[in-house]
Amino acid sequence: MGLSSRIEDVEGIYKNIGGSYFQIAILADQGKYLAIVMETDQPNWFVGSVKAIIEKLRSNYYNTSYFEDNYSKTETISELDKNGVLKMGNQSYMKLFPVPKE
């Protein structure tokens, strides 16, 4: 009886590598994951905006609807590598928290 407090590997806080500055939180939401903007230098994005909708496929691969800076939607397969780098669309994000196990 009890709920598991274990979070999935993809859940956490990330900062993008290169390009426009984004810090996002990826959180579980009804069987999917939402990438929510926490901080950005982009005037057309706001804290709380959904940057991506992510669904687990298998292992470290995810079906992803990613929103570009102009809000156009890109459908892609994302991958979370063992070092905590999430490749999503034309962007890569480094996981800041929780730190991946080495």
Side-chain angles (χ1 to χ4, degrees), residues 18-84:
S20 304
Y21 170 70
F22 281 94
Q23 184 167 313
I24 59 173
I26 297 180
L27 307 167
D29 182 55
Q30 300 179 15
K32 297 179 183 179
Y33 301 93
L34 299 180
I36 307 293
V37 175
M38 294 177 61
E39 294 179 19
T40 185
D41 64 359
Q42 296 302 294
N44 57 328
W45 284 93
F46 303 95
V47 171
S49 299
V50 175
K51 186 73 172 151
I53 301 167
I54 302 165
E55 297 176 81
K56 187 162 188 150
L57 291 173
R58 66 175 190 266
S59 183
N60 291 331
Y61 294 94
Y62 302 86
N63 186 44
T64 305
S65 297
Y66 179 85
F67 300 98
E68 302 287 348
D69 287 347
N70 65 3
Y71 290 99
S72 63
K73 183 166 75 169
T74 299
E75 296 290 332
T76 189
I77 302 296
S78 297
E79 178 184 6
L80 178 61
D81 73 19
K82 66 180 178 168
N83 296 314

